[in-house]
C-alpha cells in the first residue's frame, strides 16, 4: 500500500504548448528568461511534472496564430496556454476579427481533444472607450463559451511599470516575466489539475 503515493507522485509528464506572440516568445530576453521557461520552472518547483514548449512568434496576431496552430501545436500536446491579441489591439484591428480567429483556434484545438487556458489582454486607453469595451469583452466571452480557465489580463501587475518592462515599454524584463508567472501560476495549476482529471 505504501507504493501508491510515490506512483501517483510520478505521474507522466504533461506536454503543454504556450501559443502566443512576443510576450510568450520572450522578445529581447535570453532564452531562459522567456515566459514558458520561467513558468515551467515554477510549476516543477511546486511538484508538477510538465514541459512547456515555446510557440511564441513576435509580431503574431490572432489570425497569424490561427494560420500556424496546426504545426505549432503538435499531436500529443496535453494542453495549450493561448496568449494572443496584443498585436491586434496595438494595430487597432476590429475586435470581431480577433475574436473570430481566437474562436477558431480554440474550437480547432477542442476538436483535437486539446484543452486551452486562455490568457486575456486589455485594450490600451488611447484606443478609446468603445474599442476598449469591444476588445476587452473578447476573452471573458470566449472563456464562457468554451468553459475555459481564463487568466483575465496577461500583463497584470506589470503594464505601465517601467521597472518591469524593456525600454520599449511594451515587453517585460526577466523580472517582469517572473511577475507574470507569479500572477498566472494559480490558474495554470488549476489547468494542470483539470488536465490530470481528464476534464
Amino acid at each position: 500500500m505504501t507504493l501508491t503515493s510515490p506512483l501517483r507522485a510520478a505521474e507522466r509528464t504533461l506536454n503543454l504548448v504556450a501559443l502566443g506572440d512576443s510576450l510568450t516568445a520572450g522578445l529581447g530576453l535570453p532564452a531562459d528568461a522567456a515566459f514558458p521557461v520561467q513558468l515551467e520552472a515554477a510549476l516543477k518547483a511546486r511538484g508538477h511534472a510538465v514541459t512547456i514548449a515555446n510557440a511564441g512568434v513576435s509580431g503574431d496576431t490572432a489570425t497569424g496564430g490561427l494560420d500556424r496552430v496546426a504545426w505549432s501545436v503538435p499531436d500529443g500536446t496535453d494542453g495549450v496556454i493561448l496568449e494572443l491579441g496584443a498585436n491586434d489591439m496595438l494595430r487597432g484591428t476590429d475586435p470581431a476579427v480577433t475574436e473570430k480567429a481566437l474562436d477558431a483556434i480554440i474550437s480547432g484545438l477542442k476538436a483535437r481533444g486539446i484543452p486551452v487556458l486562455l490568457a486575456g489582454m486589455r485594450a490600451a486607453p488611447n484606443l478609446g472607450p468603445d474599442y476598449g469595451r469591444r476588445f476587452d469583452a473578447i476573452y471573458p466571452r470566449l472563456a464562457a463559451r468554451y468553459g475555459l480557465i481564463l487568466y483575465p489580463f496577461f500583463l497584470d501587475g506589470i503594464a505601465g511599470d517601467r521597472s518591469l518592462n524593456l525600454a520599449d515599454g511594451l515587453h517585460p524584463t526577466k523580472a517582469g516575466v517572473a511577475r507574470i508567472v507569479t500572477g498566472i501560476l494559480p490558474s495554470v495549476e488549476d489547468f494542470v489539475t483539470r488536465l490530470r482529471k481528464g476534464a
Side-chain angles (χ1 to χ4, degrees):
M1 300 299 291
T2 56
L3 291 176
T4 53
S5 293
L7 284 170
R8 285 177 183 172
E11 291 177 301
R12 76 172 182 85
T13 299
L14 292 175
N15 297 310
L16 307 182
V17 171
L19 180 68
D21 48 39
S22 56
L23 299 174
T24 290
L27 181 71
L29 300 176
D32 64 357
F35 168 71
V37 179
Q38 291 202 47
L39 178 59
E40 180 181 313
L43 288 165
K44 286 180 174 176
R46 292 180 61 82
H48 299 287
V50 299
T51 65
I52 305 179
N54 189 342
V57 172
S58 294
D60 221 354
T61 61
T63 301
L66 175 60
D67 289 343
R68 65 183 176 88
V69 64
W71 56 265
S72 292
V73 181
D75 291 341
T77 297
D78 293 297
V80 167
I81 298 169
L82 178 58
E83 176 276 306
L84 283 168
N87 288 311
D88 299 65
M89 179 268 295
L90 290 172
R91 298 174 186 184
T93 301
D94 183 344
V97 173
T98 303
E99 182 170 357
K100 182 179 179 181
L102 291 172
D103 188 294
I105 291 171
I106 295 164
S107 62
L109 290 171
K110 182 178 181 181
R112 294 171 60 192
I114 302 174
V116 173
L117 182 156
L118 185 59
M121 187 53 56
R122 289 180 183 159
N126 65 333
L127 291 165
D130 179 64
Y131 187 92
R133 279 192 297 270
R134 293 176 62 218
F135 184 88
D136 293 356
I138 292 171
Y139 300 91
R141 187 159 51 231
L142 287 172
R145 184 178 301 156
Y146 289 100
L148 308 181
I149 293 174
L150 171 67
Y151 184 63
F153 183 34
F154 189 72
L155 297 177
D156 189 34
I158 74 158
D161 187 334
R162 291 185 180 182
S163 70
L164 294 173
N165 285 279
L166 300 176
D168 64 10
L170 297 173
H171 296 94
T173 61
K174 182 177 181 178
V177 174
R179 179 73 63 86
I180 292 171
V181 168
T182 298
I184 201 172
L185 189 59
S187 298
V188 179
E189 286 193 290
D190 288 347
F191 186 52
V192 167
T193 298
R194 191 181 279 194
L195 295 177
R196 291 281 183 207
K197 292 178 179 178

